[in-house]
Amino acid sequence: MELLAVVKADAYGHGLASCAATLAAEGVQWFGVTSVEEGVALRAICPDSRILAMSGLWRGEADAVIEHRLTPVVWDQRHLALLEEAARRHGARRGALPVHLEIDTGMSRQGVQLGGLPALLASLPAESPLRIEAVMTHFHSPDQAEPTAAQMREFAAAVERIAARGFRPELLSAGSSTDLLNQGTVAVTELAVRHGARRMIRAGLALYGYDPCGEAPGLQPVLAWKTRIIGLREIEPGATAGYSATFRAGRPTRLALLPVGYADGFNRLLSNRARVLLHGHAAPVAGRISMDQTMVDVTEIPQAGIGDEVVLLGEQQGARITAPDLAALAGTIPYEVLCAIAARVPRTMVE
Ligand SMILES: *Cc1c(COP(=O)(O)O)cnc(C)c1O
């Protein structure tokens, strides 16, 4: 099995440069990014890796694909035409430019629909500089057997048609973190074996230490998000805090000011809901999260002092806040919590 490490969106908010370099040093040979632009950035970090640009390409991007040796996901005749033209201009030989052909098996997002497959294949002549290295698809409910089986049937039908037209893809690429953790969809592996191909799995979230379904024992989140107290004040009972005065002190209250806000990716929906960790205790967010600042109620943590470490995500003295915790409070998924952490938040690698 080939593992493709998905590092789109700045490695799910973790920082592309350090994550990609670490994964490459661990032996990962394939990386997945969203755009050609992300692929070009990754090429500067990983000169020898395979880089899959997973969301097609647009006019003007085909030259970058070739110059930076990216592998595009394609599903549309426009993609093929753009790439063929650029490949010929660069003097590419027959089959020199590998592409991954995506099949829409039910996500209705990208990929050629089964009905459009014959025409698409017909537009790829034998002497084309493009070569179908992989056939891929994406499961919309990888934790559910029946919809995934239905998508598998569509995928198998597509692979049959592709083989019947004489194409010999080396890879069948389907499945994400859920399949990696549950060893699900062996059907993909069996299909690959039947077609003399290898199976590829494209995993993102699991690499960063989370189970998309919520509960893989032994997985350790890679990222911690920390800040520190930059201000402290006491307010009287009845005093309010933050925009629109949504917090009102019911007792003499001590507030700590944190230099982090929704512009950093600390979701405004966490206002008056999330907690942060301080000296191993949970301190509730007091009032609305501002663009750049947040107040927390530290009345119950008398040792709180200026400069003290505050954990937004991660562990402190045995207490813990996870991306799924914040996601539940903000009505979203851990993916969004992680990749929302803004570029201006410095990333530091620690052992
Ligand atoms: C994001 C993405 C993945 C990775 O999904 P995870 O659930 O993070 O493992 C795989 N394939 C495609 C096409 C994707 O867009």
Side-chain angles (χ1 to χ4, degrees):
M1 190 186 76
E2 296 274 342
L3 174 70
L4 177 137
V6 181
V7 292
K8 63 194 179 192
D10 202 28
Y12 289 44
H14 290 63
L16 177 65
S18 43
C19 290
T22 304
L23 289 162
E26 291 292 327
V28 170
Q29 288 170 355
W30 281 91
F31 289 98
V33 294
T34 289
S35 59
V36 170
E37 214 171 6
E38 285 186 343
V40 170
L42 180 56
R43 179 54 78 210
I45 300 159
C46 296
D48 303 319
S49 305
R50 294 293 306 272
I51 299 175
L52 189 69
M54 299 195 296
S55 295
L57 72 157
W58 189 239
R59 277 199 303 273
E61 291 186 319
D63 284 301
V65 165
I66 291 164
E67 283 158 21
H68 296 273
R69 293 169 285 121
L70 309 181
T71 303
V73 168
V74 298
W75 64 87
D76 190 301
Q77 296 198 15
R78 275 177 307 148
H79 299 147
L80 303 184
L82 289 170
L83 291 165
E84 289 238 13
E85 189 276 323
R88 288 187 200 283
R89 208 155 20 75
H90 283 78
R93 286 169 292 108
R94 171 181 174 173
L97 178 60
V99 297
H100 289 200
L101 174 61
E102 181 162 352
I103 312 297
D104 179 7
T105 57
M107 184 84 171
S108 303
R109 180 174 73 166
Q110 305 189 157
V112 60
Q113 294 162 306
L114 230 56
L117 188 55
L120 189 68
L121 294 174
S123 71
L124 205 59
E127 67 280 5
S128 171
L130 309 190
R131 168 170 57 90
I132 300 175
E133 179 182 35
V135 182
M136 71 177 266
T137 197
H138 198 47
F139 299 125
H140 55 71
S141 309
D143 55 334
Q144 291 175 38
E146 186 29 54
T148 304
Q151 285 192 265
M152 254 330 278
R153 288 192 287 277
E154 290 275 302
F155 189 51
V159 172
E160 299 296 343
R161 284 185 204 180
I162 290 164
R165 302 214 45 141
F167 295 95
R168 293 282 170 267
E170 296 151 48
L171 294 162
L172 296 189
S173 169
S176 56
S177 291
T178 301
D179 307 276
L180 184 69
L181 295 172
N182 306 342
Q183 265 121 55
T185 55
V186 277
V188 183
T189 311
E190 290 164 2
L191 185 66
V193 169
R194 272 209 301 288
H195 286 272
R198 284 167 292 133
R199 194 245 168 117
M200 172 174 270
I201 198 158
R202 306 179 308 268
L205 197 70
L207 301 177
Y208 307 100
Y210 307 88
D211 181 350
C213 305
E215 74 253 14
L219 275 184
Q220 186 74 9
V222 165
L223 172 148
W225 187 8
K226 298 178 182 178
T227 184
R228 56 178 81 252
I229 296 176
I230 57 161
L232 281 164
R233 73 184 53 214
E234 326 235 307
I235 61 173
E236 299 295 322
T240 65
Y243 284 118
S244 305
T246 61
F247 177 87
R248 185 176 295 273
R251 57 178 178 178
T253 297
R254 194 154 177 246
L255 296 179
L257 179 63
L258 311 178
V260 58
Y262 60 79
D264 299 291
F266 200 51
N267 196 313
R268 191 167 166 281
L269 294 172
L270 299 171
S271 299
N272 290 309
R273 306 183 88 171
R275 291 156 180 275
V276 302
L277 299 177
L278 172 64
H279 295 286
H281 301 286
V285 171
R288 293 257 164 94
I289 293 170
S290 304
M291 186 183 291
D292 309 298
Q293 294 177 309
T294 298
M295 281 86 81
V296 293
D297 184 343
V298 298
T299 312
E300 314 271 355
I301 313 170
Q303 68 270 46
I306 302 283
D308 289 357
E309 176 192 90
V310 171
V311 171
L312 306 177
L313 264 184
E315 286 197 9
Q316 195 187 53
Q317 298 173 30
R320 190 170 140 97
I321 297 172
T322 66
D325 293 339
L326 291 190
L329 291 172
T332 184
I333 52 176
Y335 295 79
E336 189 185 0
V337 169
L338 296 169
C339 69
I341 301 174
R344 77 177 187 188
V345 178
R347 270 71 170 171
T348 312
M349 274 274 269
V350 290
E351 286 303 316

